[in-house]
Amino acid sequence: DAKTTQPNSMESNEEEPVHLPCNHSTISGTDYIHWYRQLPSQGPEYVIHGLTSNVNNRMASLAIAEDRKSSTLILHRATLRDAAVYYCIRTGDEKLTFGTGTRLTIIP
Amino acid sequence: DAGVIQSPRHEVTEMGQEVTLRCKPISGHNSLFWYRQTMMRGLELLIYFNNNVPIDDSGMPEDRFSAKMPNASFSTLKIQPSEPRDSAVYFCASSRSRTGGFYGYTFGSGTRLTVV
């Protein structure tokens, strides 16, 4: 059950913004949108989550479409340390299920 | 806050041996999750507990796998007997909610299991 759709991979230049897209066209009204990332040899790490409004924290911003069928994770200034697999997950009254995510490569 | 603590970080064992993986969740978190990650299957949820009670073990691959949570600060995942196909990284995560919808999960650093 592919609840979200993400590109398999993306590349970005260091110190430039990165926009990671996610489609979740079957999202219900009570589902949250979560983003996690997994750095090499580490466990998944929470990045950000939101319900309807755009969200900002020290790590990233989350832009949610008005119809909530898609969202974009924004890294404002990518560094080499941001190279990771990024997972977009929609979840409501259920446990977190991870897809294959987007592998982000940062080019120095 | 020390985060979710898993031990050991690496485990190498021979086929047929018993393996026990350990997890200490974050204090105050009432849900605990065991995941397995392989190249072929990605991150799979094996079992999760809420208030120390197993809620959903539908992801446990077979009877060789068992998990316990005797108290709020400790959980184990046991494989007996182990097989080479069990080789994977096993992650433990904890959360203030069983669904992760609002609070999200905090993951440990994982245990890399190799069965030879």
Side-chain angles (χ1 to χ4, degrees):
Chain A
D1 179 10
K3 295 182 178 180
T4 64
T5 304
Q6 299 178 253
N8 288 332
S9 62
M10 290 183 62
E11 289 185 347
S12 179
N13 293 320
E14 192 178 11
E15 299 185 5
E16 291 187 355
V18 181
H19 291 233
L20 296 163
C22 180
N23 288 319
H24 29 79
S25 57
T26 59
I27 195 168
S28 73
T30 55
D31 283 351
Y32 283 86
I33 300 155
H34 280 246
W35 284 83
Y36 285 74
R37 72 179 185 181
Q38 188 171 19
L39 303 173
S41 301
Q42 295 189 26
E45 172 189 33
Y46 167 83
V47 177
I48 199 167
H49 78 282
L51 185 61
T52 56
S53 304
N54 294 343
V55 185
N56 300 292
N57 66 22
R58 63 176 180 81
M59 290 180 68
S61 296
L62 176 60
I64 302 172
E66 194 170 337
D67 63 6
R68 301 210 326 124
K69 293 184 177 182
S70 65
S71 62
T72 302
L73 179 70
I74 302 167
L75 307 179
H76 294 286
R77 188 168 171 272
T79 70
L80 296 177
R81 293 181 59 187
D82 291 321
V85 178
Y86 287 78
Y87 298 97
C88 169
I89 305 167
R90 69 166 179 87
T91 181
D93 188 22
E94 58 198 70
K95 60 267 192 187
L96 290 182
T97 301
F98 289 78
T100 55
T102 296
R103 182 173 298 278
L104 176 65
T105 301
I106 305 298
I107 302 169
Chain B
D1 184 354
V4 176
I5 300 172
Q6 291 187 246
S7 64
R9 286 299 308 273
H10 302 274
E11 177 80 37
V12 180
T13 190
E14 292 185 348
M15 182 173 62
Q17 296 298 306
E18 177 180 294
V19 176
T20 300
L21 311 181
R22 297 172 177 80
C23 176
K24 177 179 169 58
I26 291 175
S27 177
H29 283 192
N30 59 9
S31 293
L32 183 140
F33 308 82
W34 282 100
Y35 283 83
R36 175 173 70 174
Q37 186 171 35
T38 61
M39 289 293 292
M40 291 294 294
R41 301 175 68 90
L43 269 164
E44 305 173 275
L45 177 64
L46 301 178
I47 185 172
Y48 80 93
F49 296 82
N50 182 247
N51 293 325
N52 312 336
V53 176
I55 302 299
D56 183 352
D57 64 355
S58 60
M60 296 286 262
E62 48 196 276
D63 292 345
R64 298 184 297 107
F65 286 69
S66 62
K68 294 182 179 180
M69 192 164 187
N71 57 61
S73 60
F74 184 65
S75 176
T76 60
L77 177 67
K78 185 178 295 186
I79 308 172
Q80 166 63 21
S82 57
E83 297 181 3
R85 60 189 168 131
D86 301 330
S87 297
V89 181
Y90 291 81
F91 290 104
C92 175
S94 69
S95 175
R96 283 188 281 175
S97 79
R98 60 192 282 176
T99 63
F102 184 77
Y103 293 107
Y105 295 5
T106 301
F107 282 80
S109 298
T111 294
R112 180 174 295 278
L113 173 65
T114 303
V115 183
V116 297

